[in-house]
Amino acid sequence: MKDFLAFIKDNITLLDGATGTQFQLRGLPAGKSPELLNLEDPALVEEIHRAYVEAGSDVVYANTFGANRLKMPHGKAESIVRAGVEAARRAAGDKFVALDIGPTGALCEPLGSMTFDEAYAVFAEVVKAGAGADLIVIETMSDLTELRAALLAARENSSLPIMCSMTFEESGRTFTGVLPEAFALCASPFADVVGINCSLGPDKLLPVMRRVAAYTQKPLFIKANAGLPDANMNYELSPEAFSALHGEYLNMGVNILGGCCGTTPGHIAALKKLIEGKAPLKRRVAVPAAVCSASRLVPLDRVRIIGERINPTGKKAMKEALLKGDMGYVAARAVEQAEAGADMLDVNAGVPGIDEKGSLCEMVRRIQSVTDLPLQIDCTKPDAVEAALRLTQGKAVINSVNAEEKSLASLLPLAAKYGAAVVGLTVDEEGIPKTAQKRVQLAEKIIARAKEYGIPESDVYIDCLTLTVSAEQEQAQNTLCALKEIRSRHDVHAVLGVSNISFGLPARGAVNAAFLVMAMQAGLDLPIINPNLPEMTAAVAAFNVLSGADKDCREYVEKYAALPAAEKAPVKAEDKDIYYYISKGLPDAARLTEQFLQELEPLEVIDKKLIPALNKVGEDYEKGRIFLPQLISAAEAAKLCFEKVKSVIKGGGVDKGDIVLATVFGDVHDIGKNIVKTVLQNYGYNVIDLGKNVPPERVVEAVERGKVRLCGLSALMTTTVENMRLTIEMLKKSCPYCKIMVGGAVLTEEYAKEIGADRYCKDAAASARYANAVFLPQ
């Protein structure tokens, strides 16, 4: 088997171009899955692969992009994968063959109903079936959870090199809100090569690639579209124009090039000409220290607050919530801390008598549905830590290891495997050292062992331990001395649980705030505190100003200029409105709805309370203040509210009208449709969901049966938009009273008009607005 990773070190490497485009040019019927041709017409598949090899491709992607059990006929996926790899092998000659893995077509929790384990199982089947390839390519991903499932399935079920890429929009995020930096940080521990593919042309993706490149040391690849398509699905960039846009990629050390939608063997031949005589550039990147969620990056370039409130230790209400499995209470504490100024959240499920592993995983799922703060997994049980890390959408922190051999040997490998940072406690078998010198020695032992596992110092957070000053007064100074010494010797970060200092004393807040300032001066940059206490968050904000980390005092002014400091306390529960609870995805929205129903008629509650709140959430989404996970979470909270309203109406009906939704014939991608369905249902509409791969006749039948006034159609693949056109033509002829809205990644407003749609809706919020315009005209 050829050594792909050795090859790319010495050669600028060419991938192939679009496969679907070539199938279309050769007469692939609209809506037919190209992967089926691996069994039905392997000669045609080989012909396309061979054309790219002749154009100069060093790597041929097997025709397996959608060959998984969720998209292929029952029981056929694995044979289709094997046949695809074999066809690519026959055509490739001495070139590399890549097992090509695309998205499942379903959304993972919390965006959708597919669990992480279910996604993992789907990808693992594909990986095992494609074992005959030279490498694995995971591409066109938009959801970080699904990407992580695919990467883990590849890494744990194969020894082949792995390339992976996500697809980014002009906003600089994927459609689920994933940041380029978050992608780079989260993919790098598992993938050998990271990159970007699809969506846009090379010029539009260059700024995104610069952001990816800054947060990974792995080799990079680009597989851009040939620009954007026109109304006839012809792409704008010629081979020469496409190639000319790759010079800057080569200059920044992107040494693996190819083409996605709209590209042809001609585009690959033009890239071949571009790289002739060029040698690959060596990238030298110092990745900035940071943690992240999918949609938020937290650089460790100043003091950052770790919220301590999701921890049952000393917190009776949290302990009771965990015993009862009350994740709504956990979610509310997460939201409160996020609003109060926390930069990440400590998550601890350590209550005797509960399933700590299961509870910790459920807490991670629920917290990630209501906030995008990075998480610190506070647990010392390796199986529970690993289970939580697999579900975490981002680069997490493990809290914690200590200097005992058992702890180091069990938890440091997990940090290395998942790319997590790790808190190191300066304690060993003999307990907490009494001297600063001994704590420094234990810290350096942890740092050295972490390096053995490939964990850089910047991902080690040393905790010199805060002891109660009322019991051991001299230990406060020992902690600070050890902290200062460690920060001066190593490029590590420093963690302390600040509030421990004041146990047993009156006026604890004053002691905590004073110790916090002293510790920050000594080098503490990751205090674990209660961010709901204004004096603590204000001290951190002021320190960042005085240390120069907050440039031009921008963050401080933004936080404190508008209102007096006294008004900066968290909003009280009684002052929060329905928009607050819905927008945060909190179940308390239902409780407030019950209160409204005591004062207003049910339909008034919908029209005066719930719909305005949902409209505001939609506006937040459109303006980029929230992203898809928060939109879905808000819709779920709104669903609880509508259920309360329905429960008091005779017959339970509050529907504003019927809407038919369908993914058109030949297309098995229904992610977008399902999101639209959820949002429309929570605006009070009765959605008749016909599912995916729906023939035009069935859509017409559903509309005719109910005299439905609005129909929504979606398509993700260029090969199925003709079926959308056909469906629209049949609807217009048989049901002229029905308005038609369309959406999907391959559509544009121009093309929507071309095929006769009444409205192009770029997202779920736009669909809800159009539905209101149809059913509730002003």
Side-chain angles (χ1 to χ4, degrees):
M1 188 172 289
K2 297 178 287 297
D3 190 337
F4 175 72
L5 297 181
F7 182 85
I8 64 175
K9 285 182 180 179
D10 301 322
N11 300 274
I12 298 177
T13 303
L14 285 186
L15 309 173
D16 60 10
T19 301
T21 300
Q22 295 305 301
F23 281 128
Q24 285 180 290
L25 293 174
R26 288 164 172 79
L28 178 71
K32 184 178 180 66
S33 297
E35 295 83 2
L36 294 175
L37 297 175
N38 295 340
L39 298 177
E40 298 172 2
D41 194 352
L44 175 60
V45 177
E46 291 177 43
E47 176 187 326
I48 292 172
H49 291 325
R50 197 168 290 112
Y52 280 118
V53 171
E54 292 171 355
S57 292
D58 300 301
V59 181
V60 171
Y61 282 29
N63 183 37
T64 54
F65 176 82
N68 64 66
R69 62 175 149 97
L70 299 184
K71 293 181 177 180
M72 295 295 101
H74 180 69
K76 292 282 190 180
E78 293 179 56
S79 60
I80 290 171
V81 170
R82 285 191 291 269
V85 172
E86 290 166 1
R89 179 69 69 198
R90 290 191 294 270
D94 62 350
K95 306 302 181 183
F96 295 98
V97 171
L99 171 64
D100 187 17
I101 301 177
T104 62
L107 275 175
C108 288
E109 295 175 333
L111 299 178
S113 59
M114 184 169 63
T115 68
F116 180 91
D117 289 340
E118 288 169 346
Y120 178 96
V122 171
F123 290 124
E125 287 178 0
V126 178
V127 169
K128 293 173 184 176
D134 300 309
L135 65 145
I136 297 169
V137 174
I138 300 164
E139 63 164 337
T140 325
M141 292 287 179
S142 58
D143 175 24
L144 198 55
T145 298
E146 186 175 27
L147 174 67
R148 285 171 62 86
L151 284 167
L152 279 163
R155 186 57 72 200
E156 295 175 350
N157 293 279
S158 171
S159 60
L160 295 177
I162 302 170
M163 295 172 54
C164 78
S165 58
M166 298 196 84
T167 179
F168 292 89
E169 301 179 348
E170 282 195 77
S171 64
R173 295 177 181 263
T174 73
F175 95 93
T176 65
V178 179
L179 287 167
E181 296 87 351
F183 160 60
L185 286 171
C186 296
S188 295
F190 308 105
D192 299 292
V193 183
V194 298
I196 302 170
N197 81 292
C198 206
S199 294
L200 303 166
D203 51 339
K204 299 289 180 59
L205 289 177
L206 185 61
V208 180
M209 180 60 83
R210 293 192 189 282
R211 293 169 64 182
V212 171
Y215 278 84
T216 182
Q217 296 176 335
K218 295 295 177 73
L220 301 171
F221 77 97
I222 180 69
K223 212 171 192 279
N225 288 354
L228 297 173
D230 61 20
N232 296 313
M233 300 309 291
N234 295 314
Y235 285 78
E236 61 184 336
L237 293 177
S238 68
E240 293 73 22
F242 180 78
S243 174
L245 293 172
H246 284 77
E248 281 302 306
Y249 287 96
L250 294 175
N251 291 339
M252 64 187 289
V254 180
N255 295 324
I256 304 174
L257 313 176
C260 206
C261 299
T263 60
T264 66
H267 291 81
I268 300 306
L271 287 176
K272 181 73 172 178
K273 188 174 181 180
L274 173 71
I275 67 173
E276 284 179 356
K278 292 183 172 66
L281 294 179
K282 305 298 182 184
R283 297 176 61 244
R284 291 178 175 82
V285 180
V287 176
V291 291
C292 69
S293 65
S295 57
R296 182 185 297 223
L297 179 74
V298 179
L300 303 188
D301 56 355
R302 64 198 67 192
V303 178
R304 299 291 188 182
I305 295 172
I306 302 175
E308 69 177 10
R309 301 299 295 166
I310 307 177
N311 186 327
T313 304
K315 302 177 184 69
K316 183 179 179 181
M318 179 61 70
K319 181 179 179 179
E320 290 178 353
L322 293 179
L323 286 169
K324 295 176 182 177
D326 182 2
M327 292 300 146
Y329 182 85
V330 173
R333 302 296 77 74
V335 169
E336 285 177 359
Q337 292 182 96
E339 292 180 336
D343 296 294
M344 62 185 92
L345 298 176
D346 188 77
V347 184
N348 184 305
V351 177
I354 70 169
D355 173 11
E356 185 170 356
K357 176 180 174 180
S359 295
L360 190 60
C361 289
E362 187 57 33
M363 291 167 77
V364 168
R365 291 190 192 94
R366 191 69 181 94
I367 291 167
Q368 289 181 151
S369 74
V370 297
T371 179
D372 63 352
L373 291 186
L375 302 183
Q376 177 169 279
I377 307 303
D378 191 349
C379 179
T380 58
K381 297 178 180 177
D383 63 331
V385 170
E386 181 161 23
L389 288 175
R390 291 175 86 86
L391 297 175
T392 302
Q393 302 169 17
K395 177 177 178 177
V397 184
I398 299 173
N399 183 18
S400 56
V401 302
N402 59 51
E404 294 182 31
E405 186 56 37
K406 180 180 178 181
S407 176
L408 295 170
S410 62
L411 292 173
L412 288 180
L414 294 179
K417 177 179 178 178
Y418 291 92
V422 62
V423 173
L425 304 179
T426 55
V427 61
D428 62 6
E429 294 87 349
E430 297 178 3
I432 300 174
K434 296 298 184 182
T435 67
Q437 181 182 9
K438 179 62 175 177
R439 292 186 203 183
V440 171
Q441 290 174 359
L442 294 182
E444 292 188 324
K445 177 182 177 181
I446 294 168
I447 294 166
R449 289 300 305 277
K451 285 182 179 178
E452 293 176 9
Y453 288 98
I455 302 169
E457 287 192 358
S458 58
D459 278 345
V460 178
Y461 307 164
I462 294 297
D463 187 341
C464 291
L465 301 171
T466 307
L467 302 182
T468 303
V469 71
S470 62
E472 299 179 89
Q473 194 166 5
E474 72 283 356
Q475 287 303 320
Q477 286 301 317
N478 284 339
T479 295
L480 298 179
C481 289
L483 192 163
K484 187 173 183 179
E485 183 69 16
I486 285 294
R487 288 303 305 271
S488 68
R489 292 189 188 183
H490 297 277
D491 187 28
V492 297
H493 297 274
V495 170
L496 279 179
V498 174
S499 62
N500 294 344
I501 197 72
S502 64
F503 284 136
L505 291 176
R508 291 184 60 191
V511 178
N512 290 343
F515 182 67
L516 172 61
V517 173
M518 294 173 69
M520 289 190 292
Q521 187 63 36
L524 174 65
D525 59 349
L526 293 169
I528 303 176
I529 62 174
N530 180 356
N532 298 317
L533 300 176
E535 65 271 22
M536 301 296 278
T537 53
V540 171
F543 184 86
N544 284 331
V545 168
L546 298 172
S547 66
D550 183 0
K551 300 298 182 184
D552 300 320
C553 311
R554 290 193 186 106
E555 293 183 11
Y556 188 89
V557 170
E558 181 181 351
K559 185 175 179 67
Y560 292 106
L563 294 171
E567 297 182 34
K568 289 296 179 180
V571 179
K572 295 179 181 178
E574 58 268 25
D575 297 329
K576 295 172 181 174
D577 60 13
I578 191 66
Y579 160 73
Y580 174 88
Y581 289 113
I582 288 178
S583 66
K584 301 301 181 184
L586 296 174
D588 281 343
R591 175 187 55 77
L592 194 55
T593 300
E594 288 181 331
Q595 294 179 15
F596 293 149
L597 289 168
Q598 295 175 11
E599 305 166 3
L600 301 171
E601 291 297 318
L603 292 180
E604 286 185 292
V605 172
I606 292 174
D607 291 336
K608 295 182 179 180
K609 299 293 184 180
L610 302 184
I611 296 302
L614 278 169
N615 287 338
K616 194 171 179 182
V617 169
E619 181 183 334
D620 291 342
Y621 178 69
E622 289 183 342
K623 293 185 176 180
R625 292 193 286 260
I626 63 172
F627 302 99
L628 188 58
Q630 291 79 41
L631 180 67
I632 297 298
S633 180
E636 291 301 317
K639 184 183 295 184
L640 298 176
C641 299
F642 277 92
E643 288 173 356
K644 290 293 182 183
V645 174
K646 290 179 181 180
S647 69
V648 301
I649 295 179
K650 188 175 182 179
V654 295
D655 298 318
K656 293 185 171 182
D658 294 341
I659 300 175
V660 167
L661 292 183
T663 300
V664 299
F665 182 62
D667 205 317
V668 294
H669 302 85
D670 60 354
I671 290 175
K673 172 187 67 64
N674 291 340
I675 294 168
V676 170
K677 173 185 176 180
T678 299
V679 173
L680 288 175
Q681 285 177 329
N682 288 290
Y683 270 82
Y685 295 104
N686 176 46
V687 176
I688 303 168
D689 183 5
L690 303 181
K692 54 193 175 185
N693 192 25
V694 183
E697 297 82 3
R698 189 170 164 223
V699 177
V700 172
E701 177 187 348
V703 171
E704 284 185 321
R705 187 187 310 119
K707 296 297 180 184
V708 176
R709 294 168 54 192
L710 178 60
C711 177
L713 303 174
S714 72
L716 187 68
M717 301 188 298
T718 56
T719 55
T720 58
V721 290
E722 278 303 308
N723 288 336
M724 180 177 281
R725 183 199 297 269
L726 177 60
T727 304
I728 291 172
E729 289 175 355
M730 293 179 65
L731 276 171
K732 292 288 186 182
K733 181 177 179 180
S734 301
C735 312
Y737 51 83
C738 182
K739 297 293 184 182
I740 304 168
M741 59 182 179
V742 297
V746 296
L747 294 178
T748 63
E749 188 166 0
E750 180 184 12
Y751 190 72
K753 292 178 181 177
E754 173 75 16
I755 62 178
D758 294 294
R759 181 65 61 92
Y760 164 68
C761 296
K762 66 177 182 177
D763 53 41
S767 300
R769 271 203 320 278
Y770 186 59
N772 287 341
V774 171
F775 288 93
L776 307 169
Q778 298 297 319

